[in-house]
Amino acid sequence: MTRATEIQLNNHFSVVPSEFFGKDGGARFTHCGKRFSATKILSAALLSTRQNVLGGGCKTSYTDFEKELRFARSTTARNVAELTHGGAFKRDGQSKYAAAYSVDIKHGVPVYHFLRTEEFNGKRLSGNAVLYLSVLIRFYMNSERGQKYFIGGEKRAAKTLNVPQSTAHGIIDELLRSDCILRFVMHDGKISEGKGINADYLTVYVVNDKILKTVKSIRKAINKQKSDKEEFKKLFMLSAQAEPKPAKPKKGKRSIIAQWQSVMEEMQAEELTQDSKENISKTFACDFAFNQLKRDYVTTYNKYFAALRQSGGAASIETQEMEQRLDCILTDVLNYLLSHNIRREELPDNWKQFMRDLLNT
């Protein structure tokens, strides 16, 4: 990826562990019993993520905070001073900071920096709005989520961010006015325009599809780096400073790359080479049996989503039967290819997603 492409896509990110919200045993990340401010949380996330990605001894200057998060120098100075004096981070030298506590990066909330640096409907989002929007994005980018829609509401938002309900009200209003999210009401599994009023009529938040597409592109770009450690370094090197030596991974612990990839398993299918799909498509373009399987899959696929829309996204006997039918067709296609000189090593481990993409082309 060229430098120009990197800047255009803005694929920088930080990870906010749940402890930074002052919850889940994160009392050390509070001040006088209150949660850190949003800018302080984002600053801590930037420092801890850079340390995990670039290794110990990396430098994080005030310019980095300005370029990554659009923080003024006065804001950065205050946040860094409070984080170091409060004991959350240690200052090991000029622009060198190390986390004083280990945090759970794997299950943290990814915050994409373009949410802070770019304008939405003419304004940049506040820190709290970025944090809550990132929670919603993580939900919708999880292909294994248990429910289709994010159930929101001011009380739930306040609990998620560990803020007063009045603050949560302003955050939701900001995200709605910026067109970053849409709000619906869900009743009996179906959604319609409106706002939830009780446990039977729930509030649903949906992230703007343009934002989700941008996040998907960022994840795709990150996954396609040639060398994980070195390329991840380049994502954060914003100045001509010398790259620090990579920290040796501790034995028995997963690297930050492996941790990051574990939260975006749904993107693995996009790592498959387009050439492999094109070669199989060309080889079997005139194969009657293969095309019959392809037609069966597309027909069943369309019926499945029609039934899913009819049920408002809720699972039903009909949708479950069609899911089983789709899986059977995928297995049939795999066996057919293997019986016609396609080697198993030519296919990815996530062969089902490969077959889905192949049959939908």
Side-chain angles (χ1 to χ4, degrees), residues 183-231:
R183 180 173 59 193
F184 300 94
V185 58
M186 183 168 69
H187 177 60
D188 290 338
K190 298 180 180 180
I191 65 170
S192 57
E193 293 185 7
K195 177 182 177 182
I197 55 177
N198 54 39
D200 292 324
Y201 290 82
L202 299 170
T203 299
V204 165
Y205 298 139
V206 177
V207 179
N208 186 308
D209 60 347
K210 292 182 179 179
I211 293 178
L212 290 180
K213 288 179 181 178
T214 300
V215 171
K216 188 175 181 180
S217 298
I218 291 172
R219 289 183 167 185
K220 182 177 180 180
I222 292 173
N223 275 344
K224 286 189 174 181
Q225 302 302 331
K226 294 181 180 179
S227 173
D228 287 344
K229 194 72 176 181
E230 294 304 316
E231 291 301 318

Side-chain angles (χ1 to χ4, degrees), residues 216-275:
K216 188 175 181 180
S217 298
I218 291 172
R219 289 183 167 185
K220 182 177 180 180
I222 292 173
N223 275 344
K224 286 189 174 181
Q225 302 302 331
K226 294 181 180 179
S227 173
D228 287 344
K229 194 72 176 181
E230 294 304 316
E231 291 301 318
F232 258 64
K233 282 184 181 180
K234 293 177 183 178
L235 295 179
F236 286 91
M237 301 308 291
L238 299 179
S239 63
Q241 66 183 35
E243 293 186 358
K245 294 181 180 180
K248 294 181 180 180
K250 295 182 179 179
K251 191 174 183 179
K253 288 189 176 182
R254 300 173 66 196
S255 68
I256 185 63
I257 307 303
Q259 293 173 352
W260 178 246
Q261 287 177 332
S262 70
V263 295
M264 39 185 195
E265 293 176 354
E266 73 277 5
M267 304 301 295
Q268 290 179 352
E270 296 191 31
E271 296 177 353
L272 305 175
T273 60
Q274 191 63 29
D275 288 342

Side-chain angles (χ1 to χ4, degrees), residues 293 297 300 321-335 351-352 359:
L293 288 169
Y297 183 86
T300 307
E321 290 177 349
M322 290 184 182
E323 286 176 354
Q324 293 176 357
R325 172 58 183 158
L326 289 171
D327 280 340
C328 288
I329 296 176
L330 294 177
T331 301
D332 290 341
V333 173
L334 173 64
N335 293 332
W351 64 268
K352 282 191 175 182
L359 296 175

Side-chain angles (χ1 to χ4, degrees), residues 67-333:
K67 289 183 177 180
E68 294 285 349
L69 299 171
R70 289 293 188 271
F71 286 167
R73 295 181 69 86
S74 58
T75 300
T76 299
R78 182 185 68 249
N79 289 333
V80 170
E82 292 179 357
L83 287 170
T84 52
H85 294 163
F89 285 82
K90 297 177 292 184
R91 190 172 185 270
D92 294 336
Q94 185 176 3
S95 299
K96 293 183 179 181
Y97 306 94
Y101 307 100
S102 60
V103 291
D104 185 7
I105 296 294
K106 178 180 178 182
H107 298 101
V109 177
V111 174
Y112 302 92
H113 296 173
F114 80 92
L115 298 176
R116 263 292 300 168
T117 59
E118 296 184 12
E119 292 187 351
F120 299 90
N121 210 8
K123 292 186 65 177
R124 281 209 305 269
L125 296 177
S126 66
N128 273 322
V130 168
L131 288 172
Y132 194 54
L133 179 57
S134 298
V135 171
L136 269 66
I137 291 173
R138 180 180 65 169
F139 172 85
Y140 282 108
M141 295 304 293
N142 179 14
S143 62
E144 298 181 356
R145 62 183 185 272
Q147 58 190 36
K148 184 176 181 180
Y149 298 109
F150 185 95
I151 307 301
E154 293 176 5
K155 289 184 178 180
R156 289 176 180 266
K159 184 177 181 181
T160 298
L161 297 178
N162 196 17
V163 296
Q165 189 171 335
S166 58
T167 302
H169 173 83
I171 294 170
I172 299 304
D173 185 60
E174 179 182 354
L175 290 173
L176 289 171
R177 285 188 287 105
S178 64
D179 292 332
C180 289
I181 67 172
L182 302 175
R183 180 173 59 193
F184 300 94
V185 58
M186 183 168 69
H187 177 60
D188 290 338
K190 298 180 180 180
I191 65 170
S192 57
E193 293 185 7
K195 177 182 177 182
I197 55 177
N198 54 39
D200 292 324
Y201 290 82
L202 299 170
T203 299
V204 165
Y205 298 139
V206 177
V207 179
N208 186 308
D209 60 347
K210 292 182 179 179
I211 293 178
L212 290 180
K213 288 179 181 178
T214 300
V215 171
K216 188 175 181 180
S217 298
I218 291 172
R219 289 183 167 185
K220 182 177 180 180
I222 292 173
N223 275 344
K224 286 189 174 181
Q225 302 302 331
K226 294 181 180 179
S227 173
D228 287 344
K229 194 72 176 181
E230 294 304 316
E231 291 301 318
F232 258 64
K233 282 184 181 180
K234 293 177 183 178
L235 295 179
F236 286 91
M237 301 308 291
L238 299 179
S239 63
Q241 66 183 35
E243 293 186 358
K245 294 181 180 180
K248 294 181 180 180
K250 295 182 179 179
K251 191 174 183 179
K253 288 189 176 182
R254 300 173 66 196
S255 68
I256 185 63
I257 307 303
Q259 293 173 352
W260 178 246
Q261 287 177 332
S262 70
V263 295
M264 39 185 195
E265 293 176 354
E266 73 277 5
M267 304 301 295
Q268 290 179 352
E270 296 191 31
E271 296 177 353
L272 305 175
T273 60
Q274 191 63 29
D275 288 342
S276 179
K277 294 175 188 174
E278 291 179 355
N279 289 338
I280 293 178
S281 295
K282 290 178 181 179
T283 301
F284 293 87
C286 299
D287 189 291
F288 177 84
F290 178 83
N291 286 317
Q292 182 62 52
L293 288 169
K294 185 174 182 178
R295 286 191 293 270
D296 289 346
Y297 183 86
V298 173
T299 300
T300 307
Y301 186 87
N302 292 335
K303 289 181 179 178
Y304 169 74
F305 275 95
L308 201 60
R309 286 193 296 269
Q310 185 67 28
S311 64
S316 64
I317 295 177
E318 185 177 6
T319 59
Q320 291 174 353
E321 290 177 349
M322 290 184 182
E323 286 176 354
Q324 293 176 357
R325 172 58 183 158
L326 289 171
D327 280 340
C328 288
I329 296 176
L330 294 177
T331 301
D332 290 341
V333 173

